[in-house]
Every structure is written in C-alpha cells, then in structure tokens.
Amino acid sequence: QVRTSDWGGWIEIANTDGTALFQGKIVATSREYAGALLFGVLVEKNAPEALVAAIKAGPHANLGEGLVLARGLTDPGKQLIMTQLEDIDLIDRLHEVMDQGVKPDTCLVLNSTALQHLDTEEGVAQFEQMWEKAVVAAGS
C-alpha cells in the first residue's frame, strides 16, 4: 500500500483512462468524512465540457492555460486513481499560490469516474464549513 505522505501529499487524480483530472496537494483529511481535502488545479482538457463551462460562467481563477484553480474533496465511495504528482514546476506554482493564502472559488467533489461542481449556496456553505474545520485543525 502506497502512502501519499511519501509523496509530500502532492497527488494527481486520473480518470479511468489514466489522464490527469486534478493535480494538487492533500491539505487535510476529515474524520467526519472519509475523503481528503485538496488544493490544486482542474485540468480543463480532461474534464467534461459542461462542467468546465459551468465553472467558467461563475467566479474562477486560472493557474496558466487550461488549469482552473480549485479546492476539492475526494469521494471515497467511488473509484479513485491517485498517483504522485511529479511536475515540479506546477508544484512550485501551487506552493506560491497557497503561501499567498488564496482560496479558490471553484469547489469540486471528485473521483476518477465523476466530478461534481459545488455551485449552490448550500453546497458551497457545507464545503466551506468542512474546509475551515479540517484545514484549520491540520494547520494547528
């Protein structure tokens, strides 16, 4: 069994055909929810077009061409293909953004077979509550 801590928490979540959907860092795990909280980027070209369009219709930020800054939550009940993120340039750019305290507006629940964009007030509020609780606890 591979432990993500061996990778410094830097991960890539791939879809079932092995292409990267999300690249970033596990920033916390939640005891209340079996998933991991993530900070990173959604790889637009490998995500469903309708999802990308919905994200771009609202407030969002990019980290270069084709990379949408996002916070995420893994969906543990589904297939999750996770590998070590080895793109040092991307890791450095994400470190920079994280050090600036940026909190991306785009929030996702994801696994290797499905991506859900949290775009309702209630969904975002629940995500924010879980994020604050888990990330603050992890940082203390």
Side-chain angles (χ1 to χ4, degrees):
Q1 182 177 2
V2 176
R3 296 177 52 85
T4 58
S5 58
D6 297 340
W7 306 335
W10 292 101
I11 55 100
E12 181 171 280
I13 294 175
N15 60 23
T16 53
D17 68 6
T19 56
L21 278 175
F22 184 91
Q23 297 171 307
K25 185 174 179 79
I26 296 173
V27 293
T29 53
S30 170
R31 287 203 178 121
E32 293 173 33
Y33 185 85
L37 291 158
L38 313 167
F39 184 102
V41 291
L42 173 69
V43 182
E44 285 182 35
K45 69 180 180 187
N46 300 332
E49 283 182 40
L51 176 84
V52 173
I55 289 170
K56 290 190 163 195
H60 69 283
N62 283 57
L63 185 72
E65 187 66 34
L67 300 174
V68 178
L69 271 175
R71 290 179 291 157
L73 178 64
T74 59
D75 181 350
K78 305 286 182 195
Q79 184 178 12
L80 187 63
I81 302 167
M82 197 182 307
T83 58
Q84 181 176 7
L85 177 61
E86 296 178 348
D87 182 336
I88 300 302
D89 180 53
L90 179 59
I91 289 171
D92 288 346
R93 291 189 303 163
L94 284 169
H95 251 306
E96 236 175 79
V97 173
M98 291 169 77
D99 289 348
Q100 293 168 9
V102 171
K103 214 161 94 175
D105 291 310
T106 304
C107 300
L108 305 168
V109 176
L110 67 154
N111 59 55
S112 295
T113 58
L115 282 163
Q116 179 188 356
H117 177 216
L118 298 177
D119 57 358
T120 64
E121 278 186 43
E122 184 183 348
V124 171
Q126 287 175 343
F127 182 91
E128 290 291 352
Q129 188 176 19
M130 190 172 10
W131 180 271
E132 291 303 321
K133 203 173 188 180
V135 173
V136 168
S140 59

